[in-house]
Amino acid sequence: MTEASDAAQADHALKAKHRAMWALGDYASVASHVIHDLGGELVRECGIRQGDSVLDVAAGSGNAAIPAALLGADVVACDLTPELLEVGRHLASVRGARVDWREADAEHLPFADGEFDTVMSCVGVMFAPHHQQAADELVRVCRPGGTVGLINWTPEGFIGQMFTAMRPYVPPPPPGAQPAPLWGDPEHVHTLFGDRVTDVDARRQRLRVDRFVRPQDFREFFKACYGPTIAAYRFVSGDPERVAALDAALDDLAARHLTDGAMDWEYLMVTAHRTAA
């Protein structure tokens, strides 16, 4: 077996694990009931208008794709996880939004060079394990002069801290895989895109989350609905002491951020234009 085929098999296995993880629980509830406002915010920042061709990468259940389609844009929503696309189809149908749903890997997008006016991702592409490959694809499928728009959780914000808190309770990442919250570091994003984009606007912003009254409310919701958290609990399920320690770590994190039943979750909003060819 050649080195190239070994690498391809390893990548296939890694993506299968990612696909299975995001199919766990009920991510659509997270998107619809906790971070709903982010999708529309990204669409506004990208300046999407009727008739624009738009690609939503790692679209999940369509948190950004559906608002873009409701503006009259021609939207393709792609994701690695078919279960999320199925939920997105239903939600789009209910809201009367026309979206083309496609199963696709963010690191190997099945679209032509320069095919879209806007390429966006709302806390999605950041979870592709190989950041440079994903960034290269975002730029490749955007037309010269078109817009690349991203919302990513920051390393220092609540979700970035949650992944840090869960790190001792999950398997070590495979070689070459990078931490998702790095996409929330402006310098990292600048390095990924380089001089292939211009007019870069990267701003730290906060999402007000008032769904969880007590720390335990947050923990139980994410334990039931959010794929990475479910995967962490499954990994330590045979060790009651580690399960209790993970409970305590998430409760402590939420307690430090909750004030009068609300939290502020920091994210990085990035918009840029692809340089002319």
Side-chain angles (χ1 to χ4, degrees):
M1 188 173 291
T2 66
E3 185 175 333
S5 62
D6 284 347
Q9 280 200 358
D11 185 67
H12 180 77
L14 177 59
K15 299 301 171 55
K17 289 180 180 178
H18 275 239
R19 186 181 298 113
M21 179 183 70
W22 288 107
L24 296 171
D26 184 8
Y27 180 75
S29 287
V30 180
S32 296
H33 302 305
V34 182
I35 64 169
H36 174 268
D37 292 346
L38 292 183
E41 179 73 10
L42 179 59
V43 168
R44 287 190 292 273
E45 289 290 332
C46 289
I48 293 171
R49 300 167 297 180
Q50 182 175 358
D52 286 352
S53 59
V54 176
L55 176 65
D56 187 4
V57 179
S61 53
N63 194 26
I66 292 173
L70 290 173
L71 288 175
D74 182 10
V75 181
V76 176
C78 69
D79 199 276
L80 190 66
T81 304
E83 291 86 348
L84 295 180
L85 297 176
E86 200 57 43
V87 175
R89 287 188 185 94
H90 171 72
L91 294 175
S93 176
V94 168
R95 297 184 63 183
R98 297 183 61 183
V99 178
D100 181 3
W101 301 91
R102 309 244 196 120
E103 185 177 342
D105 180 351
E107 297 177 6
H108 304 283
L109 293 173
F111 306 108
D113 295 357
E115 186 170 342
F116 298 95
D117 298 315
T118 297
V119 179
M120 63 179 181
S121 185
C122 182
V123 295
V125 75
M126 65 181 290
F127 291 101
H130 306 109
H131 294 187
Q132 192 62 63
Q133 285 180 237
D136 292 348
E137 286 294 270
L138 295 177
V139 174
R140 180 184 67 80
V141 300
C142 184
R143 68 166 174 79
T147 300
V148 176
L150 307 171
I151 287 180
N152 301 316
W153 302 119
T154 66
E156 304 85 0
F158 180 82
I159 297 296
Q161 291 182 42
M162 183 189 75
F163 278 97
T164 299
M166 294 194 304
R167 190 177 301 147
Y169 307 97
V170 298
Q178 294 174 280
L182 272 179
W183 274 96
D185 177 352
E187 289 304 316
H188 184 66
V189 174
H190 279 288
T191 299
L192 292 174
F193 289 134
D195 60 4
R196 297 174 298 173
V197 299
T198 187
D199 304 322
V200 179
D201 184 8
R203 306 189 311 275
R204 296 178 187 270
Q205 300 183 176
R206 293 180 180 272
L207 173 71
R208 190 74 166 170
V209 176
D210 58 5
R211 179 182 174 87
F212 310 112
V213 176
R214 305 172 304 153
Q216 298 92 325
D217 298 332
F218 160 76
R219 183 236 301 162
E220 288 302 314
F221 182 85
F222 266 60
K223 199 173 179 177
C225 296
Y226 193 61
T229 308
I230 297 168
Y233 275 99
R234 288 191 175 186
F235 184 66
V236 300
S237 61
D239 187 337
E241 289 188 3
R242 296 191 75 195
V243 171
L246 180 52
D247 280 347
L250 294 180
D251 286 353
D252 177 68
L253 173 66
R256 286 187 280 112
H257 286 263
L258 266 171
T259 302
D260 297 328
M263 295 186 275
D264 290 318
W265 294 3
E266 186 181 72
Y267 61 92
L268 187 72
M269 171 73 76
V270 179
T271 56
H273 294 120
R274 182 181 171 183
T275 54

